[in-house]
Structures are given as C-alpha cells and as structure tokens.
Amino acid sequence: MTPTDTPLASADDTATAHADAQRRKILDAAQRCFITRGFHAGSISEIAAAAEISQGLMYRYFDNKRALILALIERQLAHDQVSIRHMPTSADLADGLLACYQHWARGEVLDTHANAIASVALYAEINAEAHRDPVVAEVLRRHDKQTTAAIHAWLREHDRARDVAVEEEAIEQRTLLLRLLVEGLAMRAVRDPDLQPDALHALLSRAVARVMGDGTDARG
C-alpha cells in the first residue's frame, strides 16, 4: 500500500472535496444574492441562508463580503482561461455574441464556463466596487491582464494555424477590439435591449472578422 492509499490520505481527500463543494455552494449563493440585491445590499446572513448553512460556518470559508467578491473574480478568471482556449471560429463567434446579447437583454445569467460576463448586473457591481476598494481594483486589473494575455495567445495561435505571419502589435489591437466588443455589447444589452437580431448579427460578423484577422469587411 502506497502512502496515498492510506485511510488517512483518503480522509484528507474527502475533507478537501467537501470543503471545495462548500466553497462553490457559498460562491453560487453569493453570486445570486449580489445579482439580485447588489453588493452592498446583499448581506452575509442572506448569503448563508441561500447557501443553506449557518452564518458561523460561512465565516470559516470567507471572512467578509470583500473575500467573497475576490473569490468570485478569481473563479471567473479560471473559467475565462478555459473558455478562451475553446473559443469558436468567426461565424460561430458572431452567433455566440448575438446569443449572449439576447440573454443579457433578458436579464439572464449565462453559464460562467462559457462566457466572461456571466451577468451584466454582477459585472457592473464588481466594477463599481473596484472604484471604491483598491484591493478589489488590484485583483480586477490582474484578472483583466491575464484574460487579455490569454486572448492574445489564442489569436496568435489562430494566425499560426492559418499560416499567417504573426504581427504582435496587430494582435494586440485585435485583442482590444474583442474586449471592447464583448464589454460594450453587455452594456448595450441593458440600455438598448431591443436591437434587431439580423442587423446586430451583420455588425457583429464584420467586427469579428476584424478580430480574427480574416480581412473581411463586407457591408452586407
């Protein structure tokens, strides 16, 4: 029997898995609460109740609301790294962005494994908190840099796969364009939720073509 096969190791693994599950449960509850009530209105007691645990038990995992929001940012970063590596081709990306806009316009929460902005409401709450809290701001900036670097790397590999000369400055600009496109679309979904799908899809297709470096800028 190897050391990792001992009953003690098995017990440790079980305890770790249980702790991880509890953290996920609390973070899921916190996300729902912050989306519904806002970061400052949502209370620790409400989050604990939504997670179906005692307030005392919750403090074993998170010291305060700042710790919760930081953990949500970190969890989103992990999801982003996975989703960026599996982003689709131009046509599918335009379709996906249109679907995101429609979900956001209805106030729905996207699967966080599939998109960087799961909820426009939570996205806005976190950005607003970053203006007030320098610790949140620093973590958010680090998250942003890492996400940008991941998109940049994905576009570089996309160009290499097409046997296109890699131009880092151009990829940097295309990366920024994609970030502006996604984040601007999320805000537009709140302010202008009734855009015509066909017209929006045509615009998205042209923008995505620029992002992908396809050299397509048709106006149809």
Side-chain angles (χ1 to χ4, degrees):
M1 178 180 290
T2 64
T4 56
D5 293 330
T6 63
L8 179 60
S10 178
D12 288 343
D13 291 343
T14 300
T16 299
H18 177 72
D20 288 344
Q22 286 284 65
R23 283 178 59 86
R24 286 195 300 271
K25 188 176 180 181
I26 293 168
L27 287 176
D28 288 344
Q31 178 170 303
R32 292 192 301 270
C33 185
F34 292 155
I35 289 171
T36 304
R37 300 269 291 148
F39 183 59
H40 285 279
S43 68
I44 291 292
S45 60
E46 288 175 318
I47 294 168
E52 299 180 331
I53 61 173
S54 70
Q55 193 168 329
L57 178 59
M58 184 169 157
Y59 280 119
R60 289 178 55 186
Y61 294 94
F62 299 98
D63 293 337
N64 47 43
K65 285 198 290 185
R66 175 199 270 175
L68 283 167
I69 202 72
L70 293 178
L72 285 171
I73 294 171
E74 294 292 346
R75 183 169 74 165
Q76 188 63 63
L77 174 61
H79 292 331
D80 289 352
Q81 302 301 310
V82 173
S83 64
I84 289 167
R85 288 196 297 269
H86 297 90
M87 282 201 294
T89 58
S90 296
D92 290 337
L93 183 54
D95 291 344
L97 287 173
L98 176 61
C100 287
Y101 166 83
Q102 292 170 328
H103 282 288
W104 288 327
R106 293 192 294 266
E108 297 172 353
V109 178
L110 289 120
D111 180 358
T112 53
H113 290 279
N115 193 270
I117 302 178
S119 162
V120 178
L122 185 61
Y123 174 75
E125 283 288 329
I126 290 174
N127 279 280
E129 188 61 21
H131 281 287
R132 295 184 287 261
D133 188 329
V135 174
V136 173
E138 178 59 30
V139 172
L140 193 60
R141 289 191 191 102
R142 176 167 54 82
H143 170 288
D144 191 76
K145 288 179 181 178
Q146 290 178 274
T147 300
T148 293
I151 295 172
H152 189 109
W154 174 74
L155 285 173
R156 186 189 300 117
E157 289 305 311
H158 170 74
D159 286 357
R160 286 175 176 164
R162 296 184 303 142
D163 199 24
V164 172
V166 174
E167 299 180 8
E168 295 295 337
E169 185 176 351
I171 294 174
E172 184 177 334
Q173 293 173 355
R174 288 156 54 197
T175 298
L176 178 58
L177 177 58
L178 180 58
R179 305 228 55 191
L180 293 172
L181 181 62
V182 174
E183 293 166 17
L185 190 64
M187 293 297 100
R188 185 51 45 192
V190 175
R191 298 172 186 172
D192 194 358
D194 299 315
L195 293 175
Q196 290 300 309
D198 290 344
L200 179 56
H201 188 273
L203 288 170
L204 291 172
S205 295
R206 293 200 294 272
V208 166
R210 292 284 299 275
V211 167
M212 304 299 287
D214 291 345
T216 303
D217 194 20
R219 302 198 177 275

